[in-house]
Amino acid sequence: MTDPIEYKSQSFIGFLRRKVGHLHMGELLFSQWEAFVLWICDGLPGFPGMAMRFLAYKLLFKRLDGFAWVQPRVAFVQTDRLSVGRMFGVNSGTYINAIGGITIGNHVLIGSNVTISSGRHPIEGASPPVFARPAEPMPIVMEDDVWIGAGAVIMPGVTLRQGTVVGANAVVTKSTEAYSVMVGAPARKIRSRISTP
């Protein structure tokens, strides 16, 4: 096993080779193009800003079926692995990283300051440091009619079934049942949106 202290003395270039060396040149170039396009459109105010961001998302996303109502200051990463249906809304401060692939259905609403990341950092073993390890892709699926409240966290590998509501500041670590209302950290089902006769 390599001593973690050894990594302190290695160069920045050596670190980058370990961190992104598994990526193809096309993936690296796309990530830089993506960051530039999203930076240009990010802070534009009002409806003109929403329209410009929508055009950028049509260009960058793997799939976007309808208008995306996205507020300023929403961070997207790996948009080429993000598939989105119709009627998609996201509020400011949200971070969506599709490194492992994210599929979003129709009529999905995401509140402010939500974190959705489809990759996890492996932590087993003492070396190399977690910071130096590439993320492991774990896809996330959000089916139709999902609403995620402000400050929630959706962990890698989770499926939010149709009609799921995630309460503010909940941390969803497991896949949900259809039409469930999830709260807490870790999130648990408190009720169903469907009344039973």
Side-chain angles (χ1 to χ4, degrees), residues 23-159:
L23 299 175
H24 300 291
M25 183 59 72
E27 292 173 301
L28 290 172
L29 292 174
F30 177 83
S31 71
Q32 298 310 297
W33 165 249
E34 170 190 66
F36 181 74
V37 170
L38 295 176
W39 172 72
I40 294 263
C41 299
D42 183 53
L44 298 173
F47 186 75
M50 297 241 186
M52 287 296 296
R53 285 188 289 280
F54 169 69
L55 293 174
Y57 304 147
K58 281 297 270 186
L59 177 71
L60 296 171
F61 285 14
K62 181 177 182 180
R63 189 188 97 241
L64 179 57
D65 290 344
F67 187 72
W69 190 263
V70 180
Q71 298 289 338
R73 298 180 311 284
V74 172
F76 288 102
V77 180
Q78 300 282 173
T79 53
D80 59 325
R81 300 174 188 181
L82 180 59
S83 297
V84 179
R86 300 181 309 279
M87 305 302 291
F88 175 59
V90 187
N91 214 326
S92 297
T94 288
Y95 172 79
I96 299 175
N97 186 333
I99 189 168
I102 297 177
T103 303
I104 298 174
N106 301 319
H107 300 95
V108 171
L109 182 62
I110 300 172
S112 59
N113 302 308
V114 170
T115 299
I116 303 168
S117 183
S118 59
R120 80 170 198 78
H121 290 285
I123 61 169
E124 292 73 25
S127 184
V130 173
F131 184 70
R133 302 177 192 196
E136 293 178 351
M138 297 179 71
I140 291 174
V141 175
M142 290 178 232
E143 296 180 355
D144 296 347
D145 189 26
V146 166
W147 176 31
I148 303 172
V153 177
I154 310 302
M155 297 298 287
V158 164
T159 295

Side-chain angles (χ1 to χ4, degrees), residues 12-30:
F12 177 68
I13 298 299
F15 164 77
L16 283 179
R17 283 189 183 134
R18 280 191 315 280
K19 189 75 174 167
V20 299
H22 63 285
L23 299 175
H24 300 291
M25 183 59 72
E27 292 173 301
L28 290 172
L29 292 174
F30 177 83

